[in-house]
Amino acid sequence: MAMAIHTIAAALALCCVAATAAVAPHDIAACLVSNGVKNFSLPASPSFNPLLLSSIRYLRFVSPSVGKPFAIILPSSQLDLQRAVLCTVNTSLAIRVRAGGHSYEGLSYTSENHVPFAIIDVSNLNKIRVDDAAATVWAESGATLGELYHSLAKASKTLAFPGGTCSTVGLGGHVSGGGFGVLARKYGIAADNVLDATLIDAGGHVLTRDTMDADVFWAIRGGGGGSWGVVYSWKLQLVTVPETVTVIGLDRRGPADDIAGLVHKWQSVGPNLPDEYYVSPKIYFASKATNGGNLTMSFTSQVLAPKREAFAVLTKAYPELYLTESELSEMNWVEAAVKFAVVKSVADLTSRQIGIGEYAKRKSDYVQAPILRQDMVKIMRYMTTAPTEGSIQLAPYGAAMARTGSGETPFPHRAGFLYSVQYAVDWKAAENGHAGEFMGWLREFYEFMEPYVSKNPRGAYVNYVDLDLGVNNWTSVTGSAADSVSHAASWGRRYFLNNFDRLVRAKSKIDPGNVFNNAQSIPPLH
């Protein structure tokens, strides 16, 4: 009976919103107030700027030249979320949905060409319900990965979820873009472990796996956020991990040529270890003026096995690393999550302010064939020419990643891909006058890497969104253009390979009016 009453109430509320079409363009406050949505902020409010800045992780998008929203709405329920979507549509504003605010290009809180928009911030929608007996969890999209991991640790010592390492990333965006993490070689990515979802479409309707089109359910699991609607919640399959896992913590510093040898050997080790092994090197560089030709190589590494077994396997497979037993530590899974998130305690996993705010630019690649030793030397030497600090992170594939079909979810980089590359440059506020120089160097480095990475097309990871690959360049709220699909293919095929066409079909079914869009969203057919 309670469910029936809720459904009737929702229908009445949606009818009420539909009747507000006469509201003046951009007067979203009137629509929200008349429909009972109380938690929102307008530019004139003292709360507006602090709220806007609260989860802007990349400070390039704080400048006055970046357009600001007409409103920030924080729904507190599914019904609030439905009303927020309809009020935004009915007042001729574009929709940006923000969870953790980690979009590398600020797509969850900016718009192209100063198109008027509102942010629907789902951070208050963060309830998590764990069913340890069924090994599943329903989690609202505003929950962070840290909040999810914290809840799992309270429920079980051996249940985990294969998501990423950054604890402040919002679950909504992470799963929508695939969600790669340290358990991927054993259990696949986050999107591979979605059982169901609750989606709010452009008409404010509530859809689940049983009621949405099959192409749409496929699309929301890795096809990128911001294209399909707003996922209110996810039902996720949990995975089993040992009570004790092994984490490796080490640094190797030396001349570029020596580090090149270690990276070259890793290419034949990382993607070919047993499923339980995730060994991911990160190579740090400093500015040319201070590095002395040296680089530092560290590892994000987790082994689902005891320390003794991990040590034996790794010293045999990777003797060049000269691993010592003291560099391996045993702990439980959530303690490993704490270490990877670089926080102090399990309780700190629920903090949303850890590491907030940095000046940075990111790019990504995929490697399909091992890079020759002499070429790896050239790459490492190139890194010592950087004008600022930064890194490249190499994430091993193979194992479960290679056993999943490239079309099972929109995330296509499976068999035939050895590892991914994430490039980064970072700088301080005092150096912001040199931001163009720093990003320019990264783009030159990216071009230098072209002979060594995937081709036809050169791949990229949509959760490491990169507007250098192209933009829709829409100038209206719904951004329609006759050639939008062929234009978007220039980057869409790099993120999704042959899955791009099916994503366009899904978009055309769920959002033919292109209500949900951003600079690199999937366009519908026209």
Side-chain angles (χ1 to χ4, degrees):
M1 179 62 70
M3 181 63 72
I5 292 172
H6 176 78
T7 304
I8 293 169
L12 289 172
L14 293 178
C15 287
C16 181
V17 171
T20 65
V23 172
H26 310 165
D27 188 7
I28 191 167
C31 186
L32 293 170
V33 169
S34 66
N35 286 279
V37 180
K38 299 176 181 179
N39 198 4
F40 64 92
S41 185
L42 304 178
S45 169
S47 66
F48 182 83
N49 280 329
L51 185 57
L52 178 62
L53 296 173
S54 64
S55 60
I56 291 184
R57 309 286 172 174
Y58 296 96
L59 299 178
R60 291 190 288 131
F61 308 108
V62 175
S63 72
S65 64
V66 177
K68 303 300 186 287
F70 277 69
I72 303 172
I73 313 164
L74 293 100
S76 57
S77 65
Q78 178 181 296
L79 186 56
D80 264 6
L81 180 57
Q82 294 170 267
R83 290 165 169 172
V85 168
L86 288 174
C87 277
T88 307
V89 172
N90 287 0
T91 53
S92 303
L93 293 170
I95 296 173
R96 295 293 177 268
V97 183
R98 183 169 75 171
H102 279 273
S103 169
Y104 282 171
E105 299 284 11
L107 297 188
S108 61
Y109 50 83
T110 62
S111 70
E112 287 188 279
N113 300 312
H114 291 270
V115 169
F117 71 105
I119 294 173
I120 299 178
D121 188 314
V122 297
S123 57
N124 287 345
L125 300 175
N126 65 341
K127 294 183 181 65
I128 296 167
R129 189 173 74 249
V130 180
D131 184 340
D132 53 334
T136 62
V137 60
W138 270 104
E140 293 178 339
S141 279
T144 64
L145 293 178
E147 289 169 341
L148 175 62
Y149 300 160
H150 186 267
S151 295
L152 296 182
K154 289 197 299 182
S156 169
K157 294 181 179 179
T158 57
L159 288 178
F161 182 70
T165 57
C166 181
S167 60
T168 56
V169 165
L171 195 63
H174 187 65
V175 178
S176 294
F180 186 87
V182 298
L183 290 174
R185 301 188 71 254
K186 178 67 174 179
Y187 290 115
I189 59 175
D192 296 336
N193 292 277
V194 173
L195 300 173
D196 203 346
T198 308
L199 178 71
I200 311 301
D201 71 6
H205 307 106
V206 180
L207 303 173
T208 65
R209 181 175 187 170
D210 288 339
T211 56
M212 73 178 79
D213 184 270
D215 281 344
V216 175
F217 182 67
W218 174 85
I220 63 175
R221 294 174 294 138
S227 291
W228 324 102
V230 186
V231 175
Y232 165 68
S233 61
W234 301 96
K235 185 180 183 181
L236 306 171
Q237 177 69 62
L238 301 177
V239 301
T240 303
V241 294
E243 287 195 25
T244 300
V245 303
T246 300
V247 171
I248 304 167
L250 61 86
D251 291 303
R252 299 290 184 263
R253 179 171 170 78
D257 291 23
D258 292 352
I259 299 299
L262 292 176
V263 179
H264 175 259
K265 178 57 184 286
W266 172 85
Q267 295 177 112
S268 63
V269 175
N272 296 304
L273 287 166
D275 294 16
E276 292 77 15
Y277 288 70
Y278 180 85
V279 179
S280 170
K282 191 171 187 177
I283 302 94
Y284 294 90
F285 50 84
S287 69
K288 181 180 180 180
T290 60
N291 64 47
N294 291 318
L295 300 169
T296 300
M297 183 178 182
S298 69
F299 287 85
T300 300
S301 303
Q302 177 177 273
V303 181
L304 302 179
K307 173 179 173 177
R308 180 179 298 178
E309 178 183 330
F311 182 72
V313 169
L314 291 172
T315 51
K316 181 179 180 180
Y318 203 175
E320 295 84 354
L321 204 56
Y322 293 102
L323 190 65
T324 65
E325 285 196 58
S326 63
E327 292 172 319
L328 281 69
S329 303
E330 289 185 333
M331 58 191 72
N332 62 39
W333 174 78
V334 77
E335 289 169 340
V338 168
K339 184 177 180 65
F340 296 141
V342 196
V343 297
K344 295 179 180 179
S345 68
V346 173
D348 286 334
L349 287 172
T350 62
S351 172
R352 290 174 174 257
Q353 299 305 310
I354 300 297
I356 192 166
E358 61 181 323
Y359 292 96
K361 170 67 180 176
R362 309 280 192 259
K363 299 180 75 67
S364 66
D365 255 325
Y366 285 93
V367 174
Q368 293 180 282
I371 299 172
L372 299 176
R373 169 74 180 257
Q374 61 265 33
D375 291 327
M376 193 65 77
V377 168
K378 294 176 187 176
I379 293 167
M380 296 298 116
R381 288 178 179 175
Y382 197 106
M383 290 166 61
T384 67
T385 69
T388 187
E389 61 186 29
S391 64
I392 63 169
Q393 175 116 32
L394 313 180
Y397 279 32
M401 292 295 290
R403 294 193 295 271
T404 302
S406 61
E408 288 192 27
T409 69
F411 182 96
H413 306 289
R414 306 289 189 165
F417 291 87
L418 289 179
Y419 57 93
S420 67
V421 183
Q422 180 178 190
Y423 310 88
V425 288
D426 305 272
W427 61 94
K428 299 175 178 63
E431 302 171 304
N432 211 29
H434 296 281
E437 174 192 355
F438 300 155
M439 291 189 287
W441 179 88
L442 185 68
R443 291 171 179 130
E444 290 169 0
F445 181 31
Y446 179 80
E447 292 305 314
F448 173 83
M449 288 293 296
E450 185 171 11
Y452 313 118
V453 297
S454 61
K455 298 173 177 62
N456 302 316
R458 183 176 183 176
Y461 176 31
V462 71
N463 263 0
Y464 299 158
V465 61
D466 180 6
L467 296 189
D468 291 351
L469 306 182
V471 294
N472 284 311
N473 202 30
W474 286 325
T475 56
S476 65
V477 169
T478 55
S480 301
D483 62 347
S484 57
V485 171
S486 59
H487 179 65
S490 64
W491 65 85
R493 294 198 188 281
R494 297 176 72 158
Y495 291 139
F496 304 114
L497 305 183
N498 293 331
N499 292 335
F500 176 71
D501 293 338
R502 187 177 177 188
L503 288 172
V504 172
R505 292 199 302 272
K507 173 69 171 183
S508 303
K509 292 176 179 179
I510 190 64
D511 186 23
N514 203 29
V515 167
F516 290 95
N517 65 75
N518 59 49
Q520 281 191 348
S521 58
I522 301 293
L525 287 166
H526 289 285

